[in-house]
Amino acid sequence: MSKIQLFAQANLPTEYGIFKMVGFEFPDTKKEHVALVMGDISNPDEPVLARIHSECLTGDALHSLKCDCGFQLAAALRQISEAGRGVLIYHREEGRGIGLINKIRAYALQDQGMDTLDANLALGFEGDLREYYIGAQMLKDLGLQSLHLLTNNPDKVEQLEKYGITISSRIPIEIEANPYDSFYLETKKNRMGHILNMEEK
């Protein structure tokens, strides 16, 4: 597997503060990925607050209530800002790797009663095609070795550790369920192993 390449850097002012935006490209897929960096992360002896956030156009940009993705993105940026230092990796793997059009097809199957996992399987995909090797490479390129990882997903912890990243602690990033995403969150908890308490608004 090829090594990801860093191509560009610039400051990005946001409602959560000013981040350094770092653009990468993965040669095998030509997909572009982004890291948002705040504060001094140069000390290898200090674990850094971090999140690997998988792209979700519907949740992140269109404010869908069918998932918790956009709320998790905002919560992660807010927590990094409050800490004064940290990294958010924006991982371009829409729909857990199946792409936007197939994600819409999966939504249609969910409208008919399927859960998010069975919908992906019905379309001929694995339940989760994401590859955290890319995120691990980006973190290493940024000089990070140890993280306080914002995630509810134990598999993400295991994969990052497999690729040489030390997870000093896992920090939950749970969003209260709403009537539109409660079935989705139950599927994440009961079928995909995510650590969730499942309190509904």
Side-chain angles (χ1 to χ4, degrees):
M1 198 174 285
S2 301
K3 190 177 188 308
I4 201 160
Q5 299 174 4
L6 190 159
F7 276 102
Q9 301 183 51
N11 288 332
L12 182 71
T14 76
E15 62 181 296
Y16 306 103
I18 298 175
F19 290 82
K20 180 172 69 174
M21 187 176 192
V22 185
F24 295 82
E25 183 182 275
F26 189 54
D28 289 6
T29 62
K30 298 300 181 185
K31 281 189 177 177
E32 298 166 333
H33 306 269
V34 167
L36 296 180
V37 180
M38 177 175 281
D40 183 3
I41 59 169
S42 62
N43 187 343
D45 296 324
E46 292 183 10
V48 171
L49 183 63
R51 174 164 175 78
I52 295 183
H53 184 88
S54 296
E55 176 183 27
C56 177
L57 177 71
T58 48
D60 298 341
L62 303 179
H63 307 288
S64 168
L65 296 178
K66 288 175 70 73
C67 65
D68 58 346
C69 303
F71 300 105
Q72 285 188 321
L73 176 61
L77 291 172
R78 186 179 303 111
Q79 286 178 251
I80 290 169
S81 176
E82 289 171 354
R85 61 192 291 269
V87 174
L88 183 134
I89 301 291
Y90 198 80
H91 192 222
R92 302 290 304 284
E93 296 288 348
E94 181 74 50
R96 297 198 301 275
I98 68 174
L100 180 59
I101 298 302
N102 283 317
K103 180 181 179 180
I104 297 170
R105 291 177 176 138
Y107 274 180
L109 293 174
Q110 291 169 45
D111 289 342
Q112 297 170 29
M114 284 191 183
D115 68 29
T116 180
L117 184 58
D118 282 338
N120 279 23
L121 295 173
L123 292 172
F125 299 103
E126 295 179 21
D128 193 338
L129 293 170
R130 290 174 296 182
E131 176 52 77
Y132 295 111
Y133 168 78
I134 294 168
Q137 273 201 41
M138 293 170 68
L139 291 165
K140 288 179 179 179
D141 275 11
L142 294 169
L144 300 184
Q145 301 175 8
S146 179
L147 307 178
H148 294 303
L149 187 66
L150 287 159
T151 186
N152 303 320
N153 185 357
D155 181 59
K156 192 179 293 186
V157 173
E158 292 175 11
Q159 285 205 43
L160 289 176
E161 289 184 329
K162 180 177 71 174
Y163 294 127
I165 302 292
T166 298
I167 307 303
S168 296
S169 66
R170 182 192 69 83
I171 300 175
I173 185 164
E174 183 169 0
I175 308 300
E176 290 182 347
N178 68 65
Y180 299 98
D181 72 0
S182 58
F183 185 36
Y184 165 82
L185 293 175
E186 286 170 3
T187 302
K188 285 176 113 177
K189 178 180 180 178
N190 297 327
R191 299 193 63 192
M192 303 178 75
H194 290 217
I195 302 170
L196 295 168
N197 291 319
M198 289 295 299
E199 296 180 2
E200 188 168 326
K201 291 178 184 176

